[in-house]
Amino acid sequence: MDSNPFEATSTDINPFAVPDDEPKATGEEVAQHFVRIWAEAVIRAADRARAIRVKDAKDFRNAERNEEWSPTDDDLYANTRVQWAEDHTLVWSAHQLEVWRARLAKERGQEPQPDNEVLSRLRNVLEHLVDPDLDDWVATIPEGADRKRRWSLRSLPGERFDLGLQSGGSLFGLLESKDLQALAMEVVRSVQAELDERERDMVDAYLAD
């Protein structure tokens, strides 16, 4: 029987394996890596959320001119779909940044920063948005629902969530995207400063040998 040319053998080398003589990553280093990933993701997501708002405002003004070249209703509707998804992505990225900052603090034996309660409530509502009633573009707790169930909507004013989009940089009327981006930029600068300091220490230690 012919051998399988794609079958792994004991002599195959994994090109992604860390060499035995290389130092292994610590839990702190891995957590810091993910902090940086999500901080940078928040910055990118905030930029995209701002860009679609600028585009939508421009398209709306041009649509009102009712010229042959003016954006159509379908164009404006497409903008709202993009904005909704970008806003949701920004909230999720900010949540991931928060949980990984907490994990990094744990690795360092430090007390984590207090959770952003508004962000936590908003993330929870978005995660479970498929469960409530959605009539007339408003998410509400279904009539006759079990009062013992922990509905995420109960954390919001009026126990309801408007599915429409807000003007300016507001995320679902609860958070400001610029505030999340400013925090993320601060985190990125902090992580980079720590990495630079670690690299200088490694160079100093190497030269001292």
Side-chain angles (χ1 to χ4, degrees):
M1 180 181 296
D2 293 337
S3 61
N4 182 356
F6 302 103
E7 184 178 3
T9 67
S10 59
T11 59
D12 288 337
I13 298 176
N14 180 0
F16 302 104
V18 177
D20 292 337
D21 58 346
E22 288 289 327
K24 300 299 187 291
T26 65
E28 177 183 346
E29 290 170 336
V30 173
Q32 186 183 55
H33 175 71
F34 279 101
V35 165
R36 187 172 189 174
I37 283 177
W38 289 108
E40 292 171 346
V42 168
I43 294 171
R44 292 193 302 270
D47 284 340
R48 292 195 304 268
R50 184 184 304 108
I52 186 58
R53 281 173 166 79
V54 172
K55 180 181 184 299
D56 185 57
K58 180 180 179 180
D59 286 351
F60 185 80
R61 290 193 300 270
N62 288 333
E64 288 186 319
R65 297 184 178 185
N66 201 27
E67 300 286 350
E68 183 178 348
W69 49 264
S70 293
T72 65
D73 288 344
D74 287 343
D75 294 328
L76 298 178
Y77 184 39
N79 286 344
T80 64
R81 297 196 301 273
V82 173
Q83 183 180 333
W84 220 99
E86 295 295 359
D87 285 359
H88 192 158
T89 300
L90 176 53
V91 169
W92 178 254
S93 298
H95 167 68
Q96 287 296 310
L97 173 57
E98 190 170 73
V99 297
W100 279 104
R101 289 182 74 196
R103 175 57 187 266
L104 179 58
K106 178 181 178 181
E107 291 290 338
R108 292 173 170 175
Q110 301 170 346
E111 283 295 321
Q113 293 290 325
D115 288 344
N116 183 325
E117 291 296 331
V118 177
L119 174 62
S120 297
R121 292 198 297 268
L122 179 54
R123 193 275 311 167
N124 199 28
V125 167
L126 291 173
E127 182 179 355
H128 299 285
L129 197 56
V130 297
D131 297 329
D133 284 342
L134 304 173
D135 296 336
D136 202 23
W137 298 98
V138 177
T140 56
I141 299 174
E143 188 174 343
D146 185 359
R147 296 299 299 179
K148 295 181 180 179
R149 177 173 174 175
R150 297 180 60 183
W151 285 89
S152 56
L153 286 171
R154 292 203 171 105
S155 67
L156 299 183
E159 299 187 350
R160 51 181 280 142
F161 181 68
D162 189 348
L163 299 176
L165 294 170
Q166 305 294 320
S167 61
S170 175
L171 296 172
F172 306 104
L174 296 173
L175 286 171
E176 293 295 324
S177 60
K178 61 182 175 62
D179 294 337
L180 297 179
Q181 187 176 41
L183 172 62
M185 293 179 70
E186 179 183 339
V187 170
V188 169
R189 286 192 293 267
S190 175
V191 170
Q192 187 59 54
E194 291 177 1
L195 293 175
D196 290 344
E197 182 178 1
R198 185 181 304 165
E199 184 175 356
R200 286 194 298 270
D201 290 344
M202 291 175 62
V203 170
D204 290 343
Y206 174 78
L207 295 177
D209 289 342

